[in-house]
Amino acid sequence: MTDLNTLTLAEARDKLRAGDVTSVELTQACLSAIETSGALNAFVHMTPELALERAKEADARIAEGGAPDMCGLPIGIKDLFCTKGVPSQAASRILEGFKPEYESTVSQQLKDSGAVMLGKLNMDEFAMGSSNETSVYGNAVNPWRRGNDDAQLTPGGSSGGSAAAVSADLCLAATGTDTGGSIRQPAAFTGITGIKPTYGRCSRWGVVAFASSLDQAGPMTKDVRDAAIMLESICGHDPKDSTSVELAVPNFEAMLTGDIRGKKIGIPAEYRMDGMPAEIEKLWAEGTEMLKAAGAEIVDISLPHTKYALPAYYVIAPAEASSNLARYDGVRYGHRATIGAGDGITEMYEKTRAEGFGHEVQRRVMVGTYVLSAGFYDAYYNRARRVRTLIKQDFENVFAQGIDAILTPATPSAAFGLGEMTDADPIQMYLNDVFTVTVNLAGLPGISVPTGMDTQGLPLGLQLIGRPWEEGDLLNTAYALEQAAGFVAKPAQWW
């Protein structure tokens, strides 16, 4: 059987259970696809021996019966997740040579369920970026092209390698992390599905921290059903993570009925930004009509503090990054700079961090240190925290009015070219997160679903925002939108 790597998780699971295919065959198909995909630069640390070993174990487990849904399915792991004995660099030079002696909770849960890790995936350094152009490994490349244009496009960020790998069928699914849209934006740019669960739904233990009150792991998959299958396997309470919530994990896949009759879908006025491309406006209007035709009630809503979300995010996130990244000093692990004869420990710290951190990470650390410094803490950081509370209250008020989900664009445009934003003001790049950061600030679940194409043949996605802890209901609404949109396009292979 050829093209096994193009299967969805659900299709592959069913074929494994029926005995039509083995995990070893699935894994070999993905490894072969990865071997010929160097131009995408999606996988950065390969683990083929480990993958085949786990595939054989999975086949034996499936033969015994009663194996979990993820058993035998080949996936990629974002380089932000610590994986025992495998390089885990967060795409940064400062963690060069770091091989953890432990496994992150999310990757351990996947391992326990029998999933097969193919290797580690490219990303923006320390998850700081919206285009996967800040990686020590070089740019990850979007498998999609603009018409007949050969220009390389961004797969989005920070989970750009994960998005590119899933979109190009190098793996059946991948893990991502989302601090301000880093699952949903790249999913939209590459025509796949990406869900950020409620903050606390998935453990952050063993995930290299960027902004601890915002970071959340989640699945990046080929469709909504796959997102439901994979999400169930990575959720659950973890005593090692104090922000992990002790809450039962439902069978998300069983909740995918596609029936959303009577559901109230909110359309926020504040997301109609000045200068929004006509294609995004049209997509949003079409998505609204699709949900209405499926029986949902469309309600105009207001989220009045939305306009303050980006400024608040770009104070809070760098502040937490400044604190979290202080541990990288060249003493305990990772890169250490060579110092001169007269240099002391201060010079060693300075040189190590200057050499180890890229420019975007340095920029955010400096911004974060500034807003936390004496004299500016109240003016910036505390004010941003108060704004965050107001943003969270906006959502609470809307949900209290009976709104079940909120429909918005996922991104302000289709994927742009690599290098096109190099000379732009950094704030222009930050605007890529304009529709997604509110979800992280409020700790809510959000999902990006591919629903259309632009005039140049690039995928466009819509975002659904759900009530806290109601990922099952959110996934079902996303499933209804997916069914109505009927998006099945795939990138033409050029790599």
Side-chain angles (χ1 to χ4, degrees):
M1 190 179 290
T2 57
D3 300 330
L4 291 175
N5 53 302
T6 65
L7 296 173
T8 64
L9 290 176
E11 289 167 346
R13 172 197 61 187
D14 294 346
K15 286 183 182 297
L16 283 168
R17 300 304 179 276
D20 296 339
V21 69
T22 66
S23 178
V24 168
E25 290 170 336
L26 278 171
T27 302
Q28 285 173 331
C30 289
L31 291 172
S32 297
I34 295 165
E35 280 176 19
T36 59
S37 70
L40 298 178
N41 198 28
F43 275 89
V44 291
H45 297 294
M46 291 299 299
T47 56
E49 296 86 1
L50 181 63
L52 289 168
E53 181 186 318
R54 288 193 187 173
K56 288 172 187 168
E57 291 171 0
D59 282 331
R61 192 169 170 185
I62 291 166
E64 291 172 6
D69 282 347
M70 288 297 295
C71 190
L73 303 178
I75 59 169
I77 302 289
K78 185 178 179 179
D79 196 39
L80 205 64
F81 293 82
C82 288
T83 43
K84 186 175 181 179
V86 177
S88 305
Q89 282 186 238
S92 180
R93 188 184 177 199
I94 207 159
L95 276 172
E96 204 167 27
F98 176 56
K99 293 183 180 179
E101 287 301 312
Y102 53 90
E103 194 82 28
S104 75
T105 298
V106 165
S107 55
Q108 184 67 52
Q109 285 171 304
L110 287 165
K111 182 181 176 184
D112 291 345
S113 70
V116 175
M117 182 177 78
L118 297 164
K120 304 297 285 290
L121 291 158
N122 206 347
M123 56 176 283
D124 279 298
E125 184 181 8
F126 281 106
M128 298 182 194
S130 301
S131 62
N132 217 130
E133 293 177 278
T134 69
S135 170
V136 73
Y137 310 118
N139 303 338
V141 179
N142 195 325
W144 291 82
R145 289 275 173 91
R146 282 187 289 228
N148 296 319
D149 188 349
D150 287 341
Q152 292 188 337
L153 305 180
T154 175
S158 65
S159 306
S162 299
V166 174
S167 180
D169 292 321
L170 307 185
C171 53
L172 304 195
T175 62
T177 61
D178 194 310
T179 307
S182 290
I183 285 175
R184 291 159 289 150
Q185 183 248 27
F189 276 3
T190 56
I192 65 169
T193 299
I195 182 169
K196 180 206 97 66
T198 310
Y199 181 80
R201 180 63 105 166
C202 296
S203 172
R204 291 184 300 107
W205 194 86
V207 182
V208 178
F210 162 17
S212 301
S213 74
L214 300 163
D215 298 343
Q216 192 64 191
M220 302 184 74
T221 59
K222 297 179 185 180
D223 61 23
V224 173
R225 182 172 297 278
D226 283 6
I229 292 167
M230 189 169 174
L231 181 62
E232 186 181 344
S233 73
I234 64 173
C235 286
H237 179 245
D238 179 12
K240 296 196 290 287
D241 175 8
S242 62
T243 62
S244 170
V245 174
E246 196 160 357
L247 200 65
V249 180
N251 182 337
F252 293 124
E253 187 185 8
M255 300 174 80
L256 300 182
T257 63
D259 184 359
I260 57 167
R261 286 171 297 179
K263 295 288 184 184
K264 288 187 176 180
I265 308 296
I267 307 295
E270 291 76 12
Y271 280 61
R272 300 190 187 282
M273 305 287 182
D274 291 338
M276 183 190 288
E279 289 174 327
I280 301 293
E281 282 270 18
K282 181 171 175 282
L283 183 82
W284 193 9
E286 289 172 350
T288 303
E289 284 304 312
M290 288 175 198
L291 293 175
K292 188 176 180 181
E297 180 186 344
I298 306 301
V299 182
D300 288 327
I301 61 169
S302 178
L303 299 167
H305 295 95
T306 296
K307 61 186 174 183
Y308 304 116
L310 266 181
Y313 174 85
Y314 279 103
V315 169
I316 292 168
E320 295 186 12
S322 168
S323 175
N324 278 325
L325 270 60
R327 71 191 70 175
Y328 304 109
D329 53 15
V331 175
R332 286 158 290 191
Y333 44 74
H335 174 75
R336 179 185 296 184
T338 304
I339 57 175
D343 290 341
I345 192 164
T346 303
E347 287 78 12
M348 191 272 285
Y349 287 160
E350 289 171 350
K351 287 183 180 178
T352 295
R353 289 168 72 81
E355 289 178 11
F357 290 147
H359 293 311
E360 182 59 32
V361 173
Q362 290 176 10
R363 178 185 292 121
R364 297 199 196 192
V365 167
M366 286 192 288
V367 168
T369 305
Y370 177 80
V371 301
L372 290 175
S373 61
F376 298 103
Y377 187 90
D378 284 327
Y380 291 105
Y381 185 64
N382 265 345
R383 184 172 294 181
R385 287 171 63 201
R386 288 196 291 272
V387 169
R388 180 182 190 171
T389 300
L390 294 172
I391 290 167
K392 190 168 184 287
Q393 286 173 353
D394 284 349
F395 283 104
E396 287 169 353
N397 292 338
V398 163
F399 290 136
Q401 293 162 20
I403 296 296
D404 295 292
I406 298 165
L407 181 72
T408 79
T411 58
S413 70
F416 51 88
L418 289 165
E420 283 181 11
M421 303 280 264
T422 303
D423 299 323
D425 185 312
I427 292 169
Q428 287 298 113
M429 185 69 86
Y430 297 165
L431 286 170
N432 265 285
D433 302 328
V434 67
F435 298 125
T436 50
V437 295
T438 52
V439 177
N440 299 80
L441 289 168
L444 299 172
I447 186 169
S448 173
V449 181
T451 42
M453 310 275 279
D454 75 355
T455 53
Q456 295 178 305
L458 294 179
L460 297 169
L462 288 175
Q463 173 181 235
L464 282 161
I465 303 167
R467 294 167 171 266
W469 315 114
E470 294 187 15
E471 287 86 0
D473 197 49
L474 176 66
L475 283 159
N476 187 48
T477 306
Y479 183 63
L481 179 62
E482 177 186 70
Q483 298 294 103
F487 184 93
V488 293
K490 299 289 288 185
Q493 187 164 345
W494 55 264
W495 56 92

